[in-house]
Amino acid sequence: MSEPALAVTDLSVRYGAAATALTGIDLMVPRGEIVTLLGPNGAGKSTLMRAVSGLLHVHGGVITSGRVELLGSDVTSDRPAARVRRGLAQALEGRQVFPDLTVAENLAAGGHVRRYRKAQAREALERALSHLPRLHDLMDRKAGYLSGGEQQMLAIGRALMSQPTVLLLDEPSLGLAPKIVETVRDIILDIRDEGTSILLVEQNAAMALSIAQHGYVLESGRIVRSGAAADLRDDDEIAALYLGVSASEGAGSHA
Amino acid sequence: MTLFLQLGFQGVALGMVYALIALGFVIMTKGSNTFNFAHGEFVAVGAYVVVALMPHLPYWMAFIGSVVVTVTLALVAERLLLRRLVSASPTALILATLALAVIVHALVLVVWGVGTKGSAGPVGSGTVEIGDVVLTYSGIATIGTSILVLLALLVFFRWTSYGLALRATASHQEAAAAQGIDVGRMFALSWGIAAALAVVASIFLASFPRIVSPTIGLVALAAIPAVVIGGLDSFVGAVVGGLVVGLIQVLGAGYLTDYGGGRLHEVLPYVLMLVVLVLRPYGLFGSRGIERV
Amino acid sequence: MIRKLVPTLAVGALLTLSACGGAAESSSDGTDGVKMGPGVTDKEINVGLLTDYSGPIAEAATSGSLGMEVKFDEVNAAGGVCGRKIVPVKADTKYDAQQTTQAYRANAKDMLMIGEVLGSVSINAIKPNVERDNMPALAISMNTATLEEKNIYVPLPTFEVELANGVVWAAEQAGATEEKPLKLGVITEGDEVGQPYQDAVVAAAEATPGVELVAKPTYAFGDQDFTAQVSELKAAGADVVMLGTAPAETAGVVGTSAQLGYSPQWIASSGSWFAGLAEPLKGLLNNFYVSGGYGTLADDVPGIAALKDALATYAPDAKPSNFQVGGWLFGEATVAALKQACENKDLTREGVIAALEDLKVDYQGITPEVDLGDGDSIVSYSSRMNTIGAQGELEAVGDFYASDAAKEWGAANGF
């Protein structure tokens, strides 16, 4: 159990011929911990998530140097499906559920990669729903008709269906009412307590730092600060930049 | 009344053929975001291969052989052309499939010539009579087989893991990739299923007394109004659209010949298509695109 | 309405590029005092064969070309024309407009005339060039639309003639009278392709006593079901149905009729028949006749005997095919034109065009003598009836005849 759940080493990314999006990123998620990645819009948070999940090419991005390791294995050039099979799952920014599939079908699609038998699928579903009881009554509803909070829960539940070791959560509180943010926060903790390692990207720094053990601050494609969550929370500069404005209404960043 | 029932039966049979072709268009459009104009030529290849194999093999083997050839062709085309153009503009993709159509058509002509061939259907010229209405074996086989194929598709998309993965990819490509669904494989799967449907459609499009001729690929494009009328992303719409076009063509040839120079039944499906495009661009059954909150 | 979409997109742009280039007409006098145009020397006359040697209908077209070539071989062995050998300049059109244009441009300056250009696709592709270059051309496309093109000649009877003669034949067979009329139907494509065929049948029916035209259904290009048209013919009680259809529609109409329990006598033009239909329509052809404009390899006439001799001598390995007969007839027409031009001491293109005017071509019994007239006329009103053999081949019943009804229709339409 010595190697971390997720390790990013000296990672640089660029989009097409445009300027470099990430430069020399080092980041680590120890097993069973929540690590948060903070930063303003356009800092490169989503890019880093895509580099980890393998979806960079969809947006025309290329890794120019560095490594991504999952549970000690180099996955830098693996396809997304291979990474999911190795235990990585993610809930995409903006929730991005399958709008014209039902909640049940959304969840089942999350388990597709595992080729479950019937009993295994039921077990995975029960485990996922144990964290997200609200979904129980919505199973036959089309995902496109859910509320924002429900869609966020579905996105998390769908990611859990592959029974991941590492979970990437991209802006789970984005656009949600404070009360719902509380619920989501509890769900994240609940999942962590089951042993899942979590990389949490958030603009809501207060929420993120309240549950994370460790944090990184990304600006203009570089890590400018990192440290224990408690230290970051107490840092004046961080407080001024992120905690004060707590930009929970910001639009998603794309590069 | 007898004439009406007679034409209605033939219209439903022809409509089912269009429905199968239309379904192919819908599945490819949903599964790979590409409207494939070469689909009509896949139908042509299917028919020609069946006819070529029929003298040498039992019918069912000729059919399977054609499915293998046609699906392989579709997969190669998908792999060579479209996956490389995945990030190209929709216009570029459509033009690529048009080019593919011309190439496959030329290939068919080079291999089999411009002459007509025999019928490719599984049944001969027999008939059953119910009252004064003649039910042809071809028509019965067409309707029966189409219903079975539609049920099989329903089962596949509703209750299998791959069917679900394909629908998920159609619904949201990036999200599907994020779940570990191999999107490239889903593109290929959608093209493969469409090509297999094209072969089924082809044997009935060239079922007695119809025969295989080089225009069969263009004839198959008569399913395009069916697709638009039903809705580009709707399976139910494809079937309803196919039936509408088939019935218009056959009933129209019987009852509308005194108007519009006897060609109204040829034009009407396209008129309907335009009307739908103007009033309800997503088709009778298509989704407006369910909005994400 | 979508039928032309794909080819038009692919070929349309290319075609517009092809309307230039050609051959400068130059002439000189030969040592024998014969005026010589392009492709002619003291020893040779170059004749273009623009046909499909490697494309989709290459099998039939190559066979037809061979019929022409052995005609030239036969004539050359007997001293040629004007003391010159006829040399075929074979240019591959691949049955494609673009290829035809290229083939024409590459070879036009070395050809005195075109002995054959096959198919309306190719004819349409080069007709501006043919007109500008003053290039005489014999076309294999047996309909009246081709007749009107400048410098283009169709040296055999057209499909309209076959249909009109077929109406008269059917009436005679049935012993039709005013009291006991023959009920006639006709089915054609409902557009400019089918219209002349329908017109010819309607005119022939009106001109023939005892024939009552009871139904003339049409179909649209691309129609896949003929239940409506067949039901109309059946309800009208047509005893004889004239087919002005393309082969695929012939199968659809005849097959659907059988299924609906309707079995009239069928009479098709030779353009509506294709040997390959014998298989799908097996058992349904007992009362099916084809009105054909020329004979078959099975005929016992001097022309066919000469063709068989020439094939045995110059192409002993060739498989017999009726396309060789058609090619041979075009060879006959080409040779007749060159002989006439030689007689006029003018082997230029103008000379050949002048020679073609009112030229009589004796086909040695394969079909009656034709008169090319002004080049815009139907050259012969003769055809004969055939039944269908086991392999789909034509088997003659009776002899060639030219009906007054056909001639009257032609005269009325300026042919």
Side-chain angles (χ1 to χ4, degrees):
Chain A
M1 291 294 270
S2 58
E3 74 269 6
L6 178 69
V8 173
T9 316
D10 189 30
L11 184 79
S12 295
V13 169
R14 102 185 127 70
Y15 286 104
T20 306
L22 293 178
T23 312
I25 304 289
D26 289 298
L27 178 149
M28 193 182 83
V29 181
R31 295 207 173 194
E33 289 192 10
I34 298 175
V35 170
T36 186
L37 181 64
L38 306 173
N41 272 338
K45 300 191 301 288
S46 293
T47 300
L48 180 52
M49 289 300 246
R50 287 172 194 151
V52 171
S53 63
L55 290 172
L56 207 48
H57 67 280
V58 178
H59 297 268
V62 186
I63 293 177
T64 51
S65 76
R67 251 190 358 263
V68 178
E69 281 168 71
L70 197 60
L71 304 168
S73 307
D74 187 348
V75 297
T76 316
S77 50
D78 283 4
R79 282 139 70 93
R83 301 183 199 212
V84 178
R85 274 195 292 274
R86 279 187 188 278
L88 179 78
Q90 69 168 325
L92 292 169
E93 175 200 17
R95 298 177 288 278
Q96 311 208 6
V97 293
F98 302 122
D100 40 9
L101 269 54
T102 64
V103 168
E105 288 170 338
N106 266 274
L107 292 170
H112 172 77
V113 71
R114 289 284 178 220
R115 309 275 181 275
Y116 289 132
R117 292 171 192 287
K118 249 196 173 127
Q120 294 171 310
R122 201 175 309 124
E123 197 189 309
L125 185 62
E126 273 165 21
R127 270 183 72 180
L129 289 178
S130 71
H131 300 295
L132 306 153
R134 173 93 74 96
L135 294 181
H136 255 303
D137 301 332
L138 302 169
M139 293 300 273
D140 294 326
R141 180 126 5 135
K142 287 226 166 128
Y145 295 129
L146 299 181
S147 73
E150 289 162 348
Q151 286 190 341
Q152 183 56 59
M153 287 175 205
L154 177 57
I156 295 172
R158 189 177 61 183
L160 290 178
M161 284 297 292
S162 63
Q163 311 209 20
T165 327
V166 181
L167 180 62
L168 308 182
L169 294 175
D170 199 350
E171 309 273 10
S173 73
L174 189 68
L176 299 184
K179 208 171 159 202
I180 313 283
V181 173
E182 278 301 299
T183 313
V184 169
R185 176 181 179 276
D186 292 343
I187 290 168
I188 295 171
L189 283 172
D190 198 24
I191 293 167
R192 193 266 322 267
D193 290 346
E194 213 182 36
T196 308
S197 319
I198 295 169
L199 177 59
L200 173 65
V201 171
E202 258 305 338
Q203 292 200 23
N204 186 342
M207 186 273 263
L209 290 173
S210 73
I211 58 174
Q213 281 75 52
H214 207 86
Y216 294 83
V217 178
L218 193 64
E219 270 177 30
S220 307
R222 290 169 196 274
I223 302 282
V224 294
R225 285 291 305 275
S226 72
D231 294 345
L232 292 175
R233 208 163 39 218
D234 297 338
D235 187 291
D236 289 346
E237 203 180 334
I238 301 282
L241 275 174
Y242 300 110
L243 299 176
V245 286
S246 178
S248 60
E249 296 303 318
S253 64
H254 273 274
Chain B
M1 190 61 189
T2 302
L3 180 63
F4 179 79
L5 291 176
Q6 185 69 57
L7 295 176
F9 171 75
Q10 298 291 123
V12 169
L14 186 58
M16 279 303 202
V17 176
Y18 291 142
L20 292 175
I21 299 169
L23 270 174
F25 277 115
V26 169
I27 289 170
M28 278 184 290
T29 307
K30 282 178 77 108
S32 71
N33 273 326
T34 309
F35 193 88
N36 175 21
F37 272 100
H39 191 49
E41 297 304 328
F42 290 169
V43 173
V45 170
Y48 272 99
V49 175
V50 169
V51 166
L53 295 179
M54 269 167 72
H56 312 291
L57 296 171
Y59 185 82
W60 65 272
M61 284 174 74
F63 173 77
I64 300 282
S66 178
V67 170
V68 170
V69 171
T70 311
V71 168
T72 305
L73 176 74
L75 294 183
V76 169
E78 190 271 330
R79 185 106 216 177
L80 287 182
L81 285 174
L82 298 176
R83 240 186 264 186
R84 278 161 204 253
L85 293 171
V86 131
S87 46
S89 73
T91 317
L93 272 177
I94 285 189
L95 289 177
T97 69
L98 264 178
L100 183 64
V102 173
I103 292 165
V104 175
H105 184 68
L107 210 66
V108 167
L109 292 186
V110 167
V111 176
W112 287 289
V114 297
T116 55
K117 305 279 169 194
S119 290
V123 293
S125 58
T127 57
V128 193
E129 278 177 46
I130 296 184
D132 289 335
V133 180
V134 178
L135 305 184
T136 62
Y137 284 1
S138 311
I140 295 168
T142 304
I143 296 170
T145 309
S146 304
I147 290 173
L148 288 180
V149 168
L150 294 180
L151 287 176
L153 279 178
L154 183 71
V155 168
F156 172 77
F157 280 110
R158 261 299 115 116
W159 287 293
T160 71
S161 179
Y162 275 94
L164 180 65
L166 194 50
R167 283 167 59 215
T169 308
S171 180
H172 196 307
Q173 208 165 295
E174 187 178 356
Q179 306 315 309
I181 293 170
D182 188 333
V183 171
R185 192 181 292 177
M186 291 303 133
F187 284 15
L189 182 62
S190 67
W191 278 54
I193 292 171
L197 287 176
V199 180
V200 178
S202 81
I203 63 173
F204 294 117
L205 194 54
S207 200
F208 183 91
R210 293 192 284 265
I211 55 174
V212 178
S213 77
T215 54
I216 188 168
L218 287 175
V219 169
L221 293 189
I224 288 180
V227 177
V228 177
I229 291 165
L232 256 178
D233 64 347
S234 166
F235 298 130
V236 176
V239 177
V240 173
L243 289 173
V244 165
V245 172
L247 284 167
I248 286 179
Q249 285 192 348
V250 181
L251 288 172
Y255 295 109
L256 298 175
T257 43
D258 294 341
Y259 314 97
R263 298 166 78 173
L264 213 52
H265 64 288
E266 183 199 15
V267 178
L268 221 50
Y270 293 90
V271 174
L272 200 57
M273 170 171 132
L274 284 181
V275 170
V276 166
L277 277 176
V278 170
L279 297 182
R280 213 181 142 90
Y282 38 91
L284 297 181
F285 295 85
S287 54
R288 208 186 286 253
I290 299 169
E291 284 189 75
R292 274 164 238 133
V293 183
Chain C
M1 59 200 302
I2 48 167
R3 68 166 132 163
K4 284 165 188 142
L5 176 68
V6 172
T8 306
L9 280 174
V11 176
L14 300 173
L15 267 183
T16 55
L17 301 173
S18 64
C20 52
E25 170 91 47
S26 61
S27 68
S28 59
D29 288 347
T31 48
D32 54 357
V34 173
K35 223 170 134 195
M36 301 189 298
V40 183
T41 67
D42 281 331
K43 290 186 178 145
E44 292 179 345
I45 304 170
N46 288 336
V47 173
L49 309 189
L50 273 65
T51 191
D52 179 11
Y53 289 106
S54 68
I57 53 170
E59 192 180 353
T62 308
S63 189
S65 173
L66 184 70
M68 275 190 98
E69 291 167 53
V70 298
K71 179 70 211 177
F72 296 162
D73 288 333
E74 181 209 46
V75 169
N76 289 341
V81 174
C82 246
R84 294 164 170 84
K85 287 201 183 326
I86 306 174
V87 179
V89 177
K90 292 157 71 170
D92 190 0
T93 66
K94 296 185 165 62
Y95 204 68
D96 172 271
Q98 169 70 1
Q99 293 287 341
T100 305
T101 308
Q102 282 177 6
Y104 179 88
R105 290 171 64 183
N107 295 292
K109 63 180 190 310
D110 300 321
M111 302 185 309
L112 176 62
M113 67 178 289
I114 293 174
E116 65 159 330
V117 49
L118 171 70
S120 42
V121 173
S122 295
I123 293 165
N124 288 331
I126 61 167
K127 74 186 184 197
N129 307 53
V130 161
E131 181 168 352
R132 199 198 44 239
D133 298 343
N134 227 0
M135 177 73 81
L138 301 183
I140 307 186
S141 181
M142 313 301 177
N143 57 63
T144 48
T146 310
L147 290 176
E148 289 158 13
E149 307 301 349
K150 193 162 162 37
N151 300 337
I152 295 178
Y153 301 79
V154 179
L156 288 168
T158 63
F159 297 145
E160 293 90 334
V161 167
E162 297 173 347
L163 286 170
N165 285 340
V167 171
V168 176
W169 179 83
E172 277 172 19
Q173 289 287 306
T177 61
E178 303 284 355
E179 294 74 39
K180 191 172 121 335
L182 175 73
K183 291 186 174 176
L184 186 79
V186 56
I187 177 165
T188 52
E189 194 168 309
D191 57 14
E192 70 281 1
V193 175
Q195 195 62 50
Y197 302 147
Q198 191 191 66
D199 289 347
V201 170
V202 171
E206 279 168 7
T208 310
V211 173
E212 185 193 339
L213 188 72
V214 292
K216 44 177 189 174
T218 60
Y219 56 89
F221 176 88
D223 271 3
Q224 294 303 304
D225 190 282
F226 299 94
T227 309
Q229 291 85 351
V230 168
S231 297
E232 186 181 340
L233 290 163
K234 186 183 179 186
D239 306 309
V240 176
V241 175
M242 307 300 301
L243 294 169
T245 48
E249 283 76 31
T250 301
V253 170
V254 174
T256 302
S257 297
Q259 289 177 322
L260 297 183
Y262 172 54
S263 49
Q265 181 177 59
W266 302 103
I267 298 178
S269 82
S270 56
S272 305
W273 180 252
F274 178 82
L277 295 182
E279 174 60 28
L281 294 180
K282 209 163 163 179
L284 304 179
L285 298 169
N286 300 327
N287 206 5
F288 189 101
Y289 295 85
V290 175
S291 182
Y294 61 86
T296 70
L297 277 175
D299 292 347
D300 184 15
V301 294
I304 293 293
L307 166 59
K308 284 179 174 168
D309 279 351
L311 284 170
T313 311
Y314 304 109
D317 299 330
K319 213 172 95 191
S321 131
N322 222 51
F323 296 111
Q324 289 155 353
V325 180
W328 176 266
L329 297 179
F330 272 73
E332 288 275 21
T334 304
V335 169
L338 293 177
K339 278 185 174 159
Q340 184 62 48
C342 174
E343 209 166 285
N344 300 344
K345 301 246 176 241
D346 190 356
L347 282 176
T348 63
R349 289 179 186 163
E350 288 75 13
V352 174
I353 288 169
L356 282 164
E357 175 118 11
D358 295 327
L359 182 73
K360 309 231 177 342
V361 185
D362 180 0
Y363 288 122
Q364 303 287 319
I366 299 176
T367 186
E369 182 179 87
V370 301
D371 182 343
L372 293 186
D374 62 0
D376 292 345
S377 312
I378 287 173
V379 297
S380 160
Y381 284 94
S382 292
S383 64
R384 74 175 177 191
M385 303 305 293
N386 301 272
T387 53
I388 308 296
Q391 308 300 317
E393 74 279 17
L394 300 182
E395 290 174 355
V397 287
D399 221 334
F400 284 96
Y401 65 101
S403 70
D404 291 340
K407 290 179 198 164
E408 282 162 22
W409 170 79
N413 286 277
F415 297 123

